[in-house]
Amino acid sequence: MDVLGPRETGKFVSTHAKSVTVNQEGIKDVTKEVIAFTSKQKLELNSSAGPDNLLPKATDEDAADFLFVTDVMNFCFWPDKDQPKWNVSWNGRSYTGYYALCAALMKGRQENIPVTDPKFYSVITEEQLGKMLRPEEGSGPVPLLPERVAALRQAGATLIKKYGGTFRACIKEANRSAQALVKLIVREFPSFRDEATYSGRTVSFYKRAQILVGDIWLLYDGKGLGEFSDIDELTVFADYRVPQVLVHFNALQYSDELMERLRKDEVLPNGSAEEVEIRGCTIEAVERITAAVREHFKGDHGFNGISNATQVDHFLWNYRREHADKLECVPFHKTRCIYY
């Protein structure tokens, strides 16, 4: 059976969803926020690792391979209930989540560990990776360590066997096509194969594959290795934090039953109808927001702000971080898996 791409998945799931609804009035509210933001300032093309030099510079030879290794492990950072978060200290600061992963790898790089060499991570052990990702004192361990080891080993072995030991070769094979690179990543590296069965169809989200391509585009400022002729074809990276922002703005509405389950901190199984509906409707909601923003600035040839789903994703993700206290009352779904 054919697999629906992420954009088609958003349309299909939002049409059939029973527990999640895309609310057009809420879409308008988010659109206003995006327009207000981008009318005042350009959304700078920078990496998702923030302002603290948590990624190599684009001029570094191993920058693309560092992004690859990072995104191979870019999943599931939240702790079990009543357990401390995984924190990593680096350069006098403490980081959590994805930032902690970047910090841990930058620390490893500083300690001369060959973090971007597939000859190293294709045979990495749990002990070695556990040491690299070691938490600061008093914080919890990184979740799913064995799964991260398995993903690294598979990815490293494939790079060595088929791509001369570097992810740069994968980027070049895609010939400046973001869509082609996403397909290559999903085909060659199974840990990125983010699919599910819903209402009789195989649907896909490809969150980590798309975010890897988006990170490359952002790091290289859309030039050189980061030049993609079809970057606007990527959808939002459907995880658990972006839906939280959309619910805050009422762009997504959950059924009373689903909301109650989330308030009780119930973990949704990967591939369950409710999880698929949250992620699929997130894609559809952001597609509508992106289209509305483009329409607003249509004909403005000097416009250089937010114009695609990757940028809307970054706006929403950063909004959540900047307004964390305000969004604390909005429950977000949790799914323990390797896909986000």
Side-chain angles (χ1 to χ4, degrees):
M1 184 180 293
D2 291 341
V3 179
L4 293 178
R7 180 169 285 104
E8 291 72 28
T9 290
K11 292 184 181 302
F12 179 77
V13 171
S14 63
T15 301
H16 292 81
K18 296 182 175 68
S19 299
V20 184
T21 304
V22 179
N23 177 27
Q24 195 59 34
E25 290 305 310
I27 295 294
K28 292 177 182 177
D29 289 339
V30 181
T31 301
K32 290 176 183 176
E33 288 282 337
V34 176
I35 289 171
F37 176 88
T38 202
S39 295
K40 295 176 183 176
Q41 63 187 96
K42 177 184 177 182
L43 181 69
E44 294 296 330
L45 287 180
N46 53 27
S47 77
S48 57
D52 295 330
N53 298 317
L54 290 174
L55 289 180
K57 296 177 181 177
T59 52
D60 293 349
E61 184 66 24
D62 70 340
D65 284 290
F66 189 97
L67 278 179
F68 177 69
V69 171
T70 302
D71 283 331
V72 165
M73 294 189 285
N74 183 11
F75 54 83
C76 196
F77 300 114
W78 51 272
D80 289 330
K81 190 175 183 180
D82 299 324
Q83 295 299 309
K85 292 181 179 179
W86 173 58
N87 287 56
V88 173
S89 296
W90 185 62
N91 281 354
R93 290 197 59 179
S94 179
Y95 299 94
T96 62
Y98 175 70
Y99 286 1
L101 177 62
C102 295
L105 294 181
M106 288 297 283
K107 184 189 294 186
R109 197 167 175 252
Q110 198 173 53
E111 295 169 351
N112 295 316
I113 298 173
V115 297
T116 61
D117 186 350
K119 291 179 182 177
F120 166 67
Y121 62 78
S122 65
V123 292
I124 197 168
T125 65
E126 282 191 37
E127 182 180 2
Q128 288 174 311
L129 185 59
K131 185 177 180 180
M132 281 176 55
L133 304 184
R134 61 190 180 275
E136 64 185 54
E137 187 176 350
S139 70
V142 65
L144 302 183
L145 182 63
E147 287 80 359
R148 295 180 205 277
V149 169
L152 281 172
R153 286 178 172 178
Q154 189 282 324
T158 297
L159 285 186
I160 292 169
K161 182 178 179 181
K162 301 182 69 173
Y163 295 99
T166 176
F167 185 66
R168 294 169 65 94
C170 299
I171 300 172
K172 292 175 181 177
E173 184 173 308
N175 195 26
R176 295 187 175 86
S177 169
Q179 289 290 69
L181 185 53
V182 168
K183 290 178 181 178
L184 183 153
I185 293 166
V186 171
R187 182 182 73 242
E188 300 288 3
F189 307 104
S191 74
F192 288 88
R193 207 168 293 155
D194 182 9
E195 300 172 355
T197 300
Y198 178 79
S199 196
R201 297 297 304 270
T202 302
V203 297
S204 69
F205 305 96
Y206 300 151
K207 184 265 183 182
R208 286 173 43 232
Q210 292 197 104
I211 206 170
L212 174 54
V213 177
D215 280 349
I216 293 164
W217 177 65
L218 291 168
L219 182 68
Y220 289 97
D221 198 22
K223 301 169 186 173
L225 274 181
E227 181 184 352
F228 297 105
S229 60
D230 56 350
I231 193 67
D232 290 354
E233 292 303 308
L234 297 184
T235 68
V236 70
F237 314 133
D239 63 357
Y240 53 93
R241 286 301 194 179
V242 171
Q244 183 185 26
V245 181
L246 295 174
V247 170
H248 166 71
F249 281 106
N250 209 33
L252 288 186
Q253 293 178 323
Y254 296 163
S255 68
D256 291 342
E257 180 183 354
L258 176 56
M259 185 63 82
E260 182 62 22
R261 292 175 66 188
L262 299 185
R263 291 195 188 283
K264 291 180 179 177
D265 221 20
E266 183 177 330
V267 176
L268 300 183
N270 181 228
S272 64
E274 294 85 356
E275 185 229 16
V276 169
E277 289 180 9
I278 290 172
R279 299 181 76 200
C281 289
T282 293
I283 292 175
E284 175 62 17
V286 173
E287 286 296 298
R288 296 186 193 182
I289 293 163
T290 304
V293 172
R294 285 178 182 160
E295 183 63 27
H296 177 84
F297 288 105
K298 188 176 181 180
D300 183 355
H301 300 297
F303 173 66
N304 61 359
I306 296 174
S307 61
N308 61 42
T310 299
Q311 292 170 313
V312 172
D313 181 284
H314 277 251
F315 170 82
L316 295 171
W317 198 77
N318 288 326
Y319 185 95
R320 204 286 309 174
R321 291 188 66 85
E322 292 169 7
H323 300 85
D325 292 342
K326 185 165 63 173
L327 270 69
E328 192 67 29
C329 63
V330 181
F332 60 89
H333 80 283
K334 293 178 179 177
T335 297
R336 188 71 79 188
C337 70
I338 68 171
Y339 299 116
Y340 61 102

